[in-house]
Amino acid sequence: MEFHLYPDASGISIRIVPSGAQPPPEPASSHSARPAAPARAGRLYQLTHLAAGLTEVVGVQDVVALVAEQVMPAFGARDLVLSTAEAGRLRITGYRGYDPQIIERLDGLSVDTDFTPAGRALSSGIPAFFSDPEEMRRLYPAAPQVSGKQAWAFLPLIISGRPVGCCILSYDHPRAFPAEERAVMTSLAGLIAQALDRARLYDTKRELAHGASSRRCFLAPFPRSPVCASPPATSPRPGAWPSAVTSTT
């Protein structure tokens, strides 16, 4: 028996024929589909590596650093904003590539804001993708002018229906978001949400522990000074005259 392997973007096809028989014709495939196999394998490796890394992060800033170092290059993003939902507002916990003045303007926006798609993506749980500024401008007229970016992916971070935050990837040039890439980004957002939620809990516990330790140090009694521990030997007893004073009668 002879085995003939035909790899393509969807996997590997195997055809088995008797030994010595004429090889079967190669399955038809488009020229553009062939390079997709290595790209897909590379993307799968990156996601596997990222998932393992997200299980090891500790604090919130560790999550921000990992997303910036691995997620942004994996999808060719130039800029990043990672925010958390706190008391009905979006608090930016980390960013890359944006001007600090822009971040200051975006920090603390209400979750139901119509200024950017972040709030709607988080409240609905549906990612939002914008391939160019015109597409963004139709729904959010001011957003492209503020950020100056050319394409965006707004990924809601949700755990069991509970909003955790939003991850925004942005680009300096217009780009399409194929269905496969959107699916991968959406799955990835779930991993980031779990890591970010754990990291927030860790940071909160650490801050509480640090605060309790500081209070204990502040309230701890000071050691008594040896000078004040007992009256000096030459001091008279309370209510008694010094021995050097004598009666004149």
Side-chain angles (χ1 to χ4, degrees), residues 41 67 116 193 196 206 232:
V67 173
T116 74
L196 184 60
R206 184 179 60 178

Side-chain angles (χ1 to χ4, degrees), residues 46-209:
Q46 288 176 326
L47 292 178
T48 303
H49 186 66
L50 175 62
L54 286 172
T55 62
E56 300 174 358
V57 294
V58 179
V60 171
Q61 293 307 312
D62 297 328
V63 177
V64 175
L66 186 65
V67 173
E69 294 171 2
Q70 298 192 25
V71 176
M72 291 176 62
F75 296 99
R78 293 294 303 274
D79 311 284
L80 164 72
V81 174
L82 193 64
S83 61
T84 57
E86 299 178 9
R89 296 191 175 275
L90 290 171
R91 299 295 181 181
I92 296 178
T93 57
Y95 66 94
R96 297 290 188 274
Y98 279 86
D99 188 283
Q101 294 181 350
I102 296 177
I103 295 299
E104 184 177 358
R105 183 173 181 181
L106 298 176
D107 188 25
L109 290 175
S110 175
V111 173
D112 59 358
T113 181
D114 57 358
F115 185 66
T116 74
R120 180 178 295 181
L122 185 59
S123 60
S124 66
I126 302 175
F129 301 91
F130 299 89
S131 299
D132 55 63
E134 183 59 32
E135 188 176 353
M136 168 80 81
R137 194 174 294 111
R138 285 197 293 267
L139 296 176
Y140 305 91
Q145 300 175 8
V146 172
S147 67
K149 307 305 176 182
Q150 300 294 308
W152 302 263
F154 291 82
L155 308 175
L157 307 179
I158 297 177
I159 299 178
S160 301
R162 177 171 56 89
V164 175
C166 187
C167 178
I168 305 172
L169 301 176
S170 56
Y171 302 81
D172 290 340
H173 54 82
R175 76 186 298 275
F177 294 95
E180 180 183 353
E181 187 175 58
R182 296 188 182 200
V184 173
M185 286 186 175
T186 302
S187 300
L188 188 59
L191 298 176
I192 297 175
Q194 295 179 22
L196 184 60
D197 194 49
R198 290 194 306 267
R200 291 175 62 188
L201 180 61
Y202 171 84
D203 285 350
T204 300
K205 290 183 176 179
R206 184 179 60 178
E207 292 174 0
L208 292 175

Side-chain angles (χ1 to χ4, degrees), residues 6-23:
Y6 300 93
D8 59 20
S10 61
I12 300 178
S13 301
I14 303 177
R15 292 191 177 183
I16 305 175
V17 298
S19 299
Q22 184 177 1

